[in-house]
Amino acid sequence: MAKDDYDVIVYRILVYLYGCFKHEIMFEDATFEAAVRKHVKSDEYFFGILKMMQEEGLIAGLVFVNAWGGDVLLVSDVRDARITAKGIHHLEDNDKMKKVEEMLKGAVDLIASLASLLSLV
């Protein structure tokens, strides 16, 4: 699985937002960028992932528009994102999320340490 694979990015987003939800961390733009977006070069790809996650009910609170040409634009602040109960269950029960968790177990980064703090690893 590549570091910019959809499931890896979804895992990173959900773990970060779950950490915020549990008040284990505070949302900080720089930390979010470093922990979640560091391997995603394209805004369009990242915003597309966020939009799909919101459409699936994993996160809530974001506002998107479809720009000319089909690009997805985030018109709200990413700080407005919050994990939903469905997102928490997806993180804890989904087989793909378990595979990403296993892949990241030995990683030395914020998401791996946050996942262990949240008892996900």
Side-chain angles (χ1 to χ4, degrees):
M1 224 176 292
K3 292 178 181 179
D4 68 346
D5 186 65
Y6 172 81
D7 292 315
V8 175
I9 303 304
V10 168
Y11 180 84
R12 288 181 168 279
I13 292 167
L14 291 177
V15 167
Y16 191 86
L17 293 178
Y18 192 32
C20 293
F21 175 73
K22 289 183 76 174
H23 299 283
E24 299 289 342
I25 60 168
M26 290 182 55
F27 191 101
E28 295 177 2
D29 292 325
T31 306
F32 181 81
E33 291 291 320
V36 176
R37 286 203 58 177
K38 68 181 176 181
H39 300 294
V40 182
K41 306 296 184 230
S42 163
D43 284 343
E44 293 81 12
Y45 177 55
F46 187 69
F47 297 156
I49 290 172
L50 289 172
K51 185 176 183 198
M52 287 174 66
M53 290 176 71
Q54 184 156 289
E55 289 171 349
E56 291 176 27
L58 303 177
I59 61 172
L62 299 177
V63 179
F64 300 92
V65 295
N66 290 325
W68 189 71
D71 288 339
V72 174
L73 300 175
L74 177 64
V75 294
S76 59
D77 194 318
V78 74
R79 297 174 152 269
D80 297 332
R82 63 187 185 283
I83 194 168
T84 63
K86 185 175 181 178
I88 294 168
H89 296 301
H90 182 79
L91 185 60
E92 294 174 339
D93 301 333
N94 183 280
D95 289 339
K96 288 278 190 182
M97 296 295 100
K98 296 287 183 209
K99 286 180 183 175
V100 174
E101 183 180 289
E102 282 298 314
M103 182 186 86
L104 294 176
K105 237 182 198 177
V108 181
D109 70 3
L110 174 68
I111 295 302
S113 61
L114 187 56
S116 71
L117 182 67
L118 297 170
S119 300
L120 296 173
V121 177

Short mmCIF file of all heavy atoms in Angstrom, two decimals, residues 11-33:
data_model
loop_
_atom_site.label_atom_id
_atom_site.label_comp_id
_atom_site.label_asym_id
_atom_site.label_seq_id
_atom_site.Cartn_x
_atom_site.Cartn_y
_atom_site.Cartn_z
N TYR A 11 -7.38 6.50 6.83
CA TYR A 11 -6.96 6.09 8.17
C TYR A 11 -6.35 7.27 8.92
O TYR A 11 -6.70 7.55 10.06
CB TYR A 11 -5.96 4.93 8.08
CG TYR A 11 -5.49 4.44 9.43
CD1 TYR A 11 -6.22 3.51 10.15
CD2 TYR A 11 -4.30 4.92 9.98
CE1 TYR A 11 -5.79 3.06 11.39
CE2 TYR A 11 -3.86 4.47 11.21
CZ TYR A 11 -4.60 3.54 11.91
OH TYR A 11 -4.17 3.11 13.14
N ARG A 12 -5.43 7.97 8.25
CA ARG A 12 -4.75 9.10 8.90
C ARG A 12 -5.76 10.19 9.30
O ARG A 12 -5.67 10.73 10.39
CB ARG A 12 -3.68 9.67 7.98
CG ARG A 12 -2.46 8.78 7.84
CD ARG A 12 -1.40 9.40 6.93
NE ARG A 12 -0.15 8.70 7.01
CZ ARG A 12 0.75 8.87 7.99
NH1 ARG A 12 0.53 9.71 8.96
NH2 ARG A 12 1.86 8.18 8.00
N ILE A 13 -6.68 10.48 8.41
CA ILE A 13 -7.69 11.51 8.71
C ILE A 13 -8.55 11.07 9.90
O ILE A 13 -8.77 11.84 10.84
CB ILE A 13 -8.58 11.79 7.48
CG1 ILE A 13 -7.76 12.47 6.38
CG2 ILE A 13 -9.79 12.64 7.86
CD1 ILE A 13 -8.45 12.51 5.02
N LEU A 14 -9.04 9.84 9.86
CA LEU A 14 -9.92 9.36 10.93
C LEU A 14 -9.21 9.31 12.27
O LEU A 14 -9.78 9.70 13.30
CB LEU A 14 -10.52 8.00 10.57
CG LEU A 14 -11.54 7.99 9.43
CD1 LEU A 14 -11.98 6.57 9.12
CD2 LEU A 14 -12.73 8.88 9.74
N VAL A 15 -7.98 8.84 12.29
CA VAL A 15 -7.23 8.78 13.55
C VAL A 15 -7.02 10.19 14.10
O VAL A 15 -7.21 10.44 15.29
CB VAL A 15 -5.88 8.04 13.37
CG1 VAL A 15 -4.99 8.25 14.59
CG2 VAL A 15 -6.12 6.56 13.17
N TYR A 16 -6.64 11.12 13.23
CA TYR A 16 -6.41 12.48 13.68
C TYR A 16 -7.70 13.10 14.24
O TYR A 16 -7.71 13.68 15.34
CB TYR A 16 -5.86 13.34 12.53
CG TYR A 16 -5.35 14.67 13.00
CD1 TYR A 16 -4.04 14.80 13.46
CD2 TYR A 16 -6.15 15.80 13.03
CE1 TYR A 16 -3.56 16.01 13.92
CE2 TYR A 16 -5.69 17.02 13.48
CZ TYR A 16 -4.40 17.11 13.93
OH TYR A 16 -3.93 18.31 14.38
N LEU A 17 -8.80 12.95 13.51
CA LEU A 17 -10.07 13.53 13.97
C LEU A 17 -10.59 12.82 15.22
O LEU A 17 -11.21 13.46 16.08
CB LEU A 17 -11.10 13.49 12.84
CG LEU A 17 -10.80 14.38 11.64
CD1 LEU A 17 -11.88 14.22 10.57
CD2 LEU A 17 -10.65 15.84 12.04
N TYR A 18 -10.33 11.52 15.34
CA TYR A 18 -10.73 10.80 16.54
C TYR A 18 -9.93 11.30 17.75
O TYR A 18 -10.47 11.47 18.84
CB TYR A 18 -10.55 9.30 16.33
CG TYR A 18 -11.19 8.43 17.39
CD1 TYR A 18 -12.36 8.79 18.05
CD2 TYR A 18 -10.63 7.19 17.69
CE1 TYR A 18 -12.94 7.97 18.99
CE2 TYR A 18 -11.21 6.35 18.64
CZ TYR A 18 -12.36 6.74 19.29
OH TYR A 18 -12.94 5.92 20.23
N GLY A 19 -8.65 11.54 17.54
CA GLY A 19 -7.83 12.12 18.60
C GLY A 19 -8.35 13.48 19.05
O GLY A 19 -8.38 13.79 20.24
N CYS A 20 -8.79 14.28 18.09
CA CYS A 20 -9.38 15.59 18.42
C CYS A 20 -10.70 15.41 19.17
O CYS A 20 -10.95 16.09 20.16
CB CYS A 20 -9.61 16.40 17.14
SG CYS A 20 -8.11 16.93 16.29
N PHE A 21 -11.52 14.46 18.69
CA PHE A 21 -12.81 14.19 19.32
C PHE A 21 -12.65 13.77 20.78
O PHE A 21 -13.39 14.21 21.66
CB PHE A 21 -13.55 13.11 18.53
CG PHE A 21 -14.84 12.66 19.15
CD1 PHE A 21 -15.96 13.48 19.13
CD2 PHE A 21 -14.95 11.42 19.76
CE1 PHE A 21 -17.16 13.07 19.71
CE2 PHE A 21 -16.13 11.00 20.33
CZ PHE A 21 -17.24 11.84 20.31
N LYS A 22 -11.63 12.94 21.04
CA LYS A 22 -11.39 12.47 22.40
C LYS A 22 -10.59 13.47 23.24
O LYS A 22 -10.28 13.20 24.39
CB LYS A 22 -10.65 11.13 22.35
CG LYS A 22 -11.54 9.99 21.85
CD LYS A 22 -10.81 8.67 21.88
CE LYS A 22 -10.72 8.15 23.29
NZ LYS A 22 -10.15 6.79 23.37
N HIS A 23 -10.27 14.60 22.64
CA HIS A 23 -9.50 15.65 23.31
C HIS A 23 -8.12 15.18 23.74
O HIS A 23 -7.56 15.65 24.72
CB HIS A 23 -10.27 16.25 24.50
CG HIS A 23 -11.56 16.87 24.08
ND1 HIS A 23 -11.62 18.10 23.48
CD2 HIS A 23 -12.84 16.41 24.14
CE1 HIS A 23 -12.89 18.38 23.20
NE2 HIS A 23 -13.65 17.37 23.59
N GLU A 24 -7.57 14.23 22.96
CA GLU A 24 -6.19 13.78 23.19
C GLU A 24 -5.23 14.78 22.54
O GLU A 24 -4.09 14.90 22.98
CB GLU A 24 -5.97 12.39 22.60
CG GLU A 24 -6.84 11.30 23.21
CD GLU A 24 -6.44 10.94 24.63
OE1 GLU A 24 -5.32 11.26 25.05
OE2 GLU A 24 -7.27 10.34 25.33
N ILE A 25 -5.68 15.41 21.47
CA ILE A 25 -4.90 16.46 20.79
C ILE A 25 -5.85 17.58 20.41
O ILE A 25 -7.07 17.40 20.39
CB ILE A 25 -4.21 15.93 19.51
CG1 ILE A 25 -5.23 15.39 18.52
CG2 ILE A 25 -3.15 14.90 19.84
CD1 ILE A 25 -4.67 15.11 17.14
N MET A 26 -5.27 18.74 20.14
CA MET A 26 -6.04 19.87 19.61
C MET A 26 -5.73 19.98 18.13
O MET A 26 -4.59 19.74 17.71
CB MET A 26 -5.64 21.17 20.32
CG MET A 26 -6.11 21.23 21.75
SD MET A 26 -5.69 22.80 22.54
CE MET A 26 -6.43 23.96 21.42
N PHE A 27 -6.73 20.34 17.34
CA PHE A 27 -6.51 20.49 15.92
C PHE A 27 -5.57 21.67 15.69
O PHE A 27 -5.82 22.76 16.16
CB PHE A 27 -7.83 20.72 15.18
CG PHE A 27 -7.67 20.61 13.69
CD1 PHE A 27 -8.07 19.46 13.03
CD2 PHE A 27 -7.11 21.63 12.95
CE1 PHE A 27 -7.90 19.34 11.66
CE2 PHE A 27 -6.94 21.53 11.59
CZ PHE A 27 -7.34 20.38 10.94
N GLU A 28 -4.51 21.42 14.98
CA GLU A 28 -3.57 22.46 14.58
C GLU A 28 -3.27 22.27 13.10
O GLU A 28 -2.95 21.15 12.67
CB GLU A 28 -2.27 22.37 15.38
CG GLU A 28 -2.46 22.65 16.86
CD GLU A 28 -1.17 22.49 17.64
OE1 GLU A 28 -0.11 22.21 17.05
OE2 GLU A 28 -1.23 22.65 18.87
N ASP A 29 -3.37 23.34 12.33
CA ASP A 29 -3.18 23.25 10.89
C ASP A 29 -1.83 22.62 10.52
O ASP A 29 -1.76 21.72 9.69
CB ASP A 29 -3.29 24.63 10.23
CG ASP A 29 -4.70 25.18 10.30
OD1 ASP A 29 -5.66 24.39 10.21
OD2 ASP A 29 -4.86 26.41 10.43
N ALA A 30 -0.76 23.10 11.14
CA ALA A 30 0.58 22.60 10.81
C ALA A 30 0.72 21.12 11.15
O ALA A 30 1.30 20.35 10.38
CB ALA A 30 1.64 23.41 11.53
N THR A 31 0.17 20.70 12.27
CA THR A 31 0.24 19.30 12.68
C THR A 31 -0.59 18.43 11.75
O THR A 31 -0.16 17.35 11.34
CB THR A 31 -0.24 19.13 14.13
OG1 THR A 31 0.51 20.02 14.97
CG2 THR A 31 -0.06 17.71 14.62
N PHE A 32 -1.78 18.90 11.39
CA PHE A 32 -2.63 18.17 10.46
C PHE A 32 -1.92 17.99 9.12
O PHE A 32 -1.90 16.90 8.55
CB PHE A 32 -3.96 18.91 10.26
CG PHE A 32 -4.91 18.21 9.33
CD1 PHE A 32 -5.70 17.17 9.79
CD2 PHE A 32 -5.03 18.59 8.01
CE1 PHE A 32 -6.59 16.52 8.95
CE2 PHE A 32 -5.90 17.94 7.15
CZ PHE A 32 -6.69 16.91 7.62
N GLU A 33 -1.31 19.06 8.63
CA GLU A 33 -0.58 18.99 7.37
C GLU A 33 0.55 17.97 7.45
O GLU A 33 0.73 17.16 6.54
CB GLU A 33 0.00 20.36 6.99
CG GLU A 33 -1.04 21.39 6.59
CD GLU A 33 -1.73 21.07 5.28
OE1 GLU A 33 -1.04 20.63 4.34
OE2 GLU A 33 -2.94 21.27 5.18
#
